[in-house]
Amino acid sequence: MTRPRSDLARLAPDGRAARQLMRSGAYNGHTAGMAPGHVQANLAILPRREADDFLRFCQRNPKPCPLLAVTEPGDPLLPALGDGLDLRSDLPRYRVWRDGDLVDEVDDIAALWRDDLVGFAIGCSFSFEEALLQAGVPLRHVAEGRNVAMYRTSLPTTPAGRFHGPMVVSMRPMKAADAIRAVQVTSRFPQVHGAPVHIGDPALIGIADLARPDFGDAVAVADDELPVFWACGVTPQSVVMAARPAFCITHAPGCMLVTDLLNHRIASF
Amino acid sequence: MTRPRSDLARLAPDGRAARQLMRSGAYNGHTAGMAPGHVQANLAILPRREADDFLRFCQRNPKPCPLLAVTEPGDPLLPALGDGLDLRSDLPRYRVWRDGDLVDEVDDIAALWRDDLVGFAIGCSFSFEEALLQAGVPLRHVAEGRNVAMYRTSLPTTPAGRFHGPMVVSMRPMKAADAIRAVQVTSRFPQVHGAPVHIGDPALIGIADLARPDFGDAVAVADDELPVFWACGVTPQSVVMAARPAFCITHAPGCMLVTDLLNHRIASF
């Protein structure tokens, strides 16, 4: 399933080309490396009743849940993120959840669409990782071809209606000078998690063992490095699952929504 | 000698009032707390021959030696930093060095002025400390009424002519969230040392024991805090002393040049 990033960039040089591949059914794998320079997003789709609470949850927790765009109820199109972008067909794979349980993984959700569904596109760390690499900050999990290490923490989120739960963070090990540069670079990207939420001792945010991530793959932290932690887009997914809504659709892990937005256009200052 | 900051702010509400106090001989103490909101500066005065090398040293080492302004050779005025500002009389106290040895501490250097002297005003951490406090980041040494702790490090500077030597840093203990905020806040102030140069393990930059600073006063670092290190304006002074120039004048410790520049006007973005 995993292809070299350079192949994917050739296959899908921009958001429209990436979405066309998904829509035609020609590709249903990971999107990391596709459409270089373009914003990719986490997806959550909820019935209107839960969607109102969830929108307030995102508003109150912008670091783990930076909202890029929300659909009109019942409308599967999201023109703010891409010309003709259709949430029913334009992601590689979707997960379908009923009462909080995963019940299916599919390439297309046209048959599941309802006129009370609301889609949420939430910023993803791919954008700031691209900015970090361009700034010369090495990312070990990228160099080693692994998924980033993610952890449940003791950091609270601010609840809204039925949605509540701890923040999930991603961790990248860095030398101190790179950690300082990483704060500067990622502060420019509030729409894709922004600045780190913690640096240093993992126990202070409730992480017992860096070698045992709750999601993704462990990476080594050298003696001369600091673990640097960012709020992670798995937080909204984890919070939604814990609330066990009657119905929900999300992207499958690593199979993101590829948009027409350019990373450098969402940078502040 | 030390008066409460509020007294000093009343005594010298702005740069001009502060300098008038010094010039008249009415005050020769520390300047911390004077002219709130105004940039204060480190001072180094060198004969033209050494000044050329030193100017290149500052240009190559902007983090420890951020140059605010340089005089014309022989001219003791520095209008870029203050209306009528006269380096011969407008600081509270000066130190006079010959062949690298401290030979005198005086309130006025009019009798020592020569037509080959060049004055350097170098940014000082007071400006970014004010910005940190305004951003709600606590500073322990300020709360405890101590001088900031400073250390010689193994971090090199880039030499220029006769000037070379290790970087001196100041250290402020902070919780991780405050350290992240402090990177953001101080990154806006490149003219007063800018972002930190190190966070975390002091041994990585050649500091053996945080409890034994080379200059200033030790402060405690709690278990849930990180030591955060900034390039320090003692670096140029230390480098100049090591070069043992035939003649040199500096400000006395804590007795800075108070300018008309406003801290918020030197902030980038």
Side-chain angles (χ1 to χ4, degrees):
Chain A
M1 184 71 76
T2 305
R3 301 201 205 180
R5 286 187 174 216
S6 54
D7 276 15
L8 290 178
R10 228 181 349 257
L11 204 59
D14 60 25
R16 175 190 283 270
R19 295 194 303 274
Q20 189 51 45
L21 276 177
M22 325 300 188
R23 192 181 298 188
S24 70
Y27 183 79
N28 67 356
H30 287 184
T31 53
M34 284 191 155
H38 291 74
V39 176
Q40 300 196 17
N42 299 281
L43 175 69
I45 297 173
L46 286 164
R48 186 163 193 172
R49 203 173 135 251
E50 287 86 2
D52 293 342
D53 284 353
F54 188 64
L55 183 54
R56 277 181 294 116
F57 183 83
C58 292
Q59 192 280 327
R60 290 174 189 169
N61 298 281
K63 293 205 82 162
C65 312
L67 261 186
L68 291 169
V70 185
T71 66
E72 285 298 296
D75 186 351
L77 305 183
L78 209 36
L81 298 188
D83 187 33
L85 190 158
D86 188 331
L87 291 182
R88 294 170 298 186
S89 56
D90 289 1
L91 280 78
R93 274 181 299 141
Y94 304 81
R95 287 187 159 181
V96 184
W97 309 76
R98 292 190 190 276
D99 300 318
D101 295 323
L102 177 65
V103 295
D104 208 356
E105 188 162 313
V106 297
D107 294 359
D108 185 290
I109 55 166
L112 297 166
W113 194 259
R114 306 179 345 196
D115 66 5
D116 68 336
L117 293 184
V118 180
F120 296 81
I122 296 169
C124 141
S125 59
F126 288 174
S127 296
F128 78 65
E129 288 189 341
E130 183 177 88
L132 288 171
L133 291 169
Q134 285 173 353
V137 176
L139 297 173
R140 183 159 302 136
H141 71 283
V142 173
E144 295 180 352
R146 295 168 192 258
N147 291 314
V148 73
M150 293 168 274
Y151 306 86
R152 287 195 190 87
T153 70
S154 57
L155 297 169
T157 59
T158 305
R162 63 168 63 196
F163 297 107
H164 60 91
M167 192 185 297
V168 177
V169 297
S170 58
M171 187 281 290
R172 294 161 186 82
M174 297 184 183
K175 292 187 197 295
D178 287 330
I180 292 163
R181 187 76 187 119
V183 172
Q184 295 176 321
V185 170
T186 59
S187 293
R188 301 181 64 215
F189 291 92
Q191 285 185 290
V192 290
H193 304 306
V197 293
H198 186 62
I199 295 178
D201 187 357
L204 291 173
I205 57 170
I207 299 172
D209 185 356
L210 284 182
R212 299 169 67 108
D214 294 300
F215 313 94
D217 304 319
V219 294
V221 183
D223 285 347
D224 63 349
E225 292 178 329
L226 293 159
V228 186
F229 300 90
W230 276 266
C232 175
V234 170
T235 309
Q237 196 156 332
S238 156
V239 159
V240 168
M241 293 316 116
R244 305 185 79 78
F247 184 67
C248 176
I249 300 170
T250 66
H251 66 283
C255 300
M256 317 304 282
L257 172 63
V258 186
T259 78
D260 290 353
L261 296 185
L262 292 167
N263 288 329
H264 67 79
R265 291 296 294 271
I266 65 164
S268 54
F269 54 82
Chain B
M1 184 72 74
T2 305
R3 300 201 206 180
R5 288 188 174 215
S6 54
D7 275 15
L8 291 178
R10 227 180 351 257
L11 205 59
D14 60 27
R16 176 190 283 270
R19 295 194 303 273
Q20 189 51 46
L21 276 177
M22 324 301 188
R23 192 180 299 188
S24 70
Y27 183 79
N28 68 356
H30 286 185
T31 53
M34 284 191 154
H38 291 73
V39 175
Q40 300 196 17
N42 298 281
L43 176 68
I45 297 173
L46 285 164
R48 186 165 192 172
R49 202 173 136 249
E50 287 87 2
D52 293 342
D53 284 354
F54 188 64
L55 183 54
R56 277 182 293 118
F57 183 82
C58 293
Q59 191 280 328
R60 289 175 190 170
N61 298 280
K63 294 204 83 162
C65 312
L67 262 186
L68 291 169
V70 184
T71 67
E72 286 297 296
D75 186 350
L77 304 183
L78 209 37
L81 298 188
D83 188 32
L85 191 159
D86 188 331
L87 291 182
R88 294 170 299 185
S89 55
D90 289 2
L91 279 79
R93 273 181 300 142
Y94 303 81
R95 286 186 159 181
V96 184
W97 309 75
R98 292 191 190 274
D99 300 318
D101 295 324
L102 177 65
V103 295
D104 207 358
E105 188 161 315
V106 296
D107 294 359
D108 185 291
I109 55 166
L112 298 166
W113 194 260
R114 308 179 342 198
D115 64 5
D116 68 335
L117 294 183
V118 180
F120 296 82
I122 296 168
C124 141
S125 59
F126 288 174
S127 297
F128 77 66
E129 288 189 342
E130 183 177 270
L132 287 171
L133 291 169
Q134 285 173 354
V137 176
L139 296 174
R140 182 158 303 136
H141 71 284
V142 173
E144 295 181 352
R146 295 168 192 260
N147 291 314
V148 73
M150 293 168 275
Y151 306 86
R152 287 197 189 88
T153 70
S154 57
L155 297 170
T157 59
T158 305
R162 63 169 63 196
F163 298 107
H164 60 91
M167 192 185 297
V168 177
V169 298
S170 59
M171 187 281 290
R172 294 159 186 83
M174 298 184 182
K175 290 186 198 297
D178 287 331
I180 292 164
R181 187 75 186 119
V183 173
Q184 295 176 320
V185 170
T186 59
S187 293
R188 301 181 64 216
F189 291 91
Q191 284 185 290
V192 290
H193 304 306
V197 293
H198 186 62
I199 296 178
D201 186 357
L204 292 173
I205 57 169
I207 299 172
D209 185 357
L210 284 183
R212 300 169 68 109
D214 294 299
F215 313 94
D217 304 320
V219 294
V221 182
D223 285 347
D224 63 350
E225 292 178 330
L226 293 159
V228 186
F229 300 89
W230 276 267
C232 175
V234 169
T235 309
Q237 196 155 331
S238 157
V239 158
V240 168
M241 292 315 116
R244 306 184 79 77
F247 185 67
C248 176
I249 299 170
T250 65
H251 66 283
C255 300
M256 317 304 282
L257 172 63
V258 186
T259 78
D260 290 353
L261 296 185
L262 292 167
N263 288 329
H264 68 79
R265 292 295 293 272
I266 65 164
S268 54
F269 56 81

